[in-house]
């Protein structure tokens, strides 16, 4: 069976804490193992022909976690960037970061900036880390930026439409790739948790029982297989429509 490969996959890398606790380890050990998964999933997505991969590394709501846990996450992010920048470059991967990056410590911001700059001309997999990101914040920020442009006379309120709003989102640089095709969440939770809500409006969602530290290339392939079987109708009637409408007219049913 030939697979229909999603152009853009977004993943909520959930279940690190539970994975560790079930094994009698502190929660942060799950993040250590979880961060080690990123490399292989980036590679697997790239090899499958996925064009954009977005990973939810830290949400605006995650600021409520203990400082000690946050510190570990920043260290892991820095370690990943320092270790994997060369590999990403060799794979022609481009990296972007979305979210309130300015809230991060200066050293984390600096390394993010330097790796993003280094990979900025790469044209392969478009990798996005969502770090201190929230969709509601992204939309509120877009509204604010648009209002400022109206004040400056660059736009008028009636100019606003979906295409224009997208230009104010953090994902605007992804252009046509910003729309999420496949939304994956690990660990058995069935929520979107404020991740790419606008961009995933018509995404196919696949929820996987496996916790993120165990999620591997085979799980990714299974999610893509599941995606391949789905019929995406985007609010239309899809392949069932014409048969139904020709056999039974709406008027007949209403009589
Ligand atoms: C959710 O698990 C996971 C996170 C909040 C952090 C995800 C971050 C990483 C995998 C490391 C980031 C590193 C890179 C390289 C991007 P949880 O702690 O909420 O798990 P739980 O639901 O079991 O408590």
């Amino acid at each position: 069976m030939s697979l229909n490969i999603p152009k853009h996959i977004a993943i909520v890398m959930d279940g690190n804490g539970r994975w560790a606790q079930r094994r009698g380890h502190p929660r942060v050990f799950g993040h250590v193992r979880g961060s080690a998964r990123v490399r292989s999933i980036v590679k697997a997505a790239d090899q499958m022909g996925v064009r954009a991969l977005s990973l939810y590394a830290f949400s605006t709501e995650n600021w409520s976690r203990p400082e000690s846990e946050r510190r570990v996450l920043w260290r892991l992010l820095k370690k990943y960037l320092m270790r994997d920048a060369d590999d990403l470059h060799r794979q022609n991967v481009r990296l972007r970061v979305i979210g309130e990056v300015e809230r991060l410590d200066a050293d984390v911001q600096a390394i993010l900036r330097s790796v993003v700059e280094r990979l900025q001309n790469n044209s392969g997999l478009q990798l996005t880390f969502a770090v201190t990101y929230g969709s509601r914040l992204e939309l509120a920020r877009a509204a604010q930026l648009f209002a400022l442009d109206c004040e400056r006379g660059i736009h008028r309120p009636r100019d606003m439409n979906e295409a224009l709003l997208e230009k104010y989102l953090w994902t605007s640089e992804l252009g046509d790739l910003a729309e999420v095709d496949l939304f994956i969440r690990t660990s058995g939770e069935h929520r979107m948790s404020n991740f790419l809500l606008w961009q995933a409006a018509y995404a196919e969602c696949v929820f996987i029982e496996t916790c993120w530290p165990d999620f591997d290339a085979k799980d990714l392939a299974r999610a893509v297989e599941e995606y391949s079987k789905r019929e995406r109708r985007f609010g239309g009637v899809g392949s069932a429509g014409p048969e139904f409408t020709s056999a039974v007219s709406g008027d007949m049913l209403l009589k």
Side-chain angles (χ1 to χ4, degrees):
M1 187 184 82
S2 78
L3 286 181
N4 176 18
I5 303 294
K7 285 205 286 286
H8 184 174
I9 299 182
I11 309 184
V12 180
M13 307 181 284
D14 197 17
N16 292 348
R18 275 165 289 157
W19 180 92
Q21 281 167 333
R22 281 176 202 150
R23 286 159 180 79
H25 296 299
R27 289 177 47 80
V28 290
F29 184 61
H31 296 318
V32 174
R33 285 299 181 86
S35 65
R37 280 288 149 187
V38 172
R39 175 188 299 169
S40 59
I41 295 306
V42 168
K43 211 170 188 165
D46 190 26
Q47 283 169 352
M48 274 180 182
V50 171
R51 308 257 321 275
L53 177 68
S54 299
L55 302 176
Y56 206 7
F58 192 87
S59 70
T60 44
E61 292 75 23
N62 289 153
W63 282 103
S64 63
R65 294 195 175 204
E67 209 210 322
S68 54
E69 184 170 337
R70 296 194 319 248
R71 262 206 315 271
V72 169
L73 285 168
W74 307 139
R75 275 178 55 190
L76 290 168
L77 180 61
K78 283 198 301 186
K79 195 168 152 191
Y80 170 83
L81 292 166
M82 286 189 286
R83 275 206 188 156
D84 281 43
D86 287 346
D87 267 2
L88 293 173
H89 201 27
R90 267 193 294 275
Q91 287 174 61
N92 195 25
V93 172
R94 177 164 184 179
L95 177 70
R96 293 186 179 84
V97 185
I98 55 172
E100 283 185 298
V101 181
E102 59 282 3
R103 281 181 81 177
L104 303 177
D105 288 349
D107 58 334
V108 184
Q109 287 190 46
I111 180 150
L112 277 169
R113 211 177 304 119
S114 91
V115 177
V116 165
E117 270 173 32
R118 187 165 166 219
L119 308 183
Q120 69 183 346
N121 294 320
N122 289 347
S123 56
L125 180 76
Q126 306 291 296
L127 176 63
T128 300
F129 286 163
V131 183
T132 186
Y133 171 89
S135 264
R136 290 177 173 181
L137 177 71
E138 181 180 39
L139 289 163
R141 175 183 171 273
Q144 198 175 55
L145 293 174
F146 175 71
L148 285 171
D149 278 352
C150 288
E151 264 181 16
R152 292 188 194 116
I154 298 169
H155 283 298
R156 290 158 305 171
R158 63 173 171 274
D159 294 340
M160 181 41 79
N161 57 37
E162 292 181 15
L164 182 57
L165 189 125
E166 280 170 2
K167 293 201 186 343
Y168 289 94
L169 298 180
W170 274 311
T171 50
S172 65
E173 273 190 33
L174 282 174
D176 289 348
L177 286 178
E179 172 132 15
V180 176
D181 300 299
L182 171 58
F183 187 101
I184 299 174
R185 185 180 188 133
T186 56
S187 87
E189 302 290 348
H190 297 195
R191 282 190 301 280
M192 298 181 78
S193 296
N194 206 10
F195 188 38
L196 298 175
L197 299 182
W198 173 283
Q199 298 85 344
Y202 275 100
E204 291 299 326
C205 296
V206 174
F207 299 106
I208 290 175
E209 291 299 316
T210 310
C211 287
W212 176 253
D214 283 334
F215 186 82
D216 62 13
K218 278 192 195 135
D219 293 310
L220 182 69
R222 271 194 284 272
V224 168
E225 217 173 289
E226 167 68 32
Y227 168 85
S228 265
K229 291 186 205 148
R230 306 252 180 107
E231 186 190 11
R232 301 186 75 193
R233 295 197 292 273
F234 297 97
V237 285
S239 58
E243 284 162 48
F244 176 78
T245 45
S246 61
V248 189
S249 86
D251 285 350
M252 279 164 67
L253 289 174
L254 289 171
K255 268 179 197 155

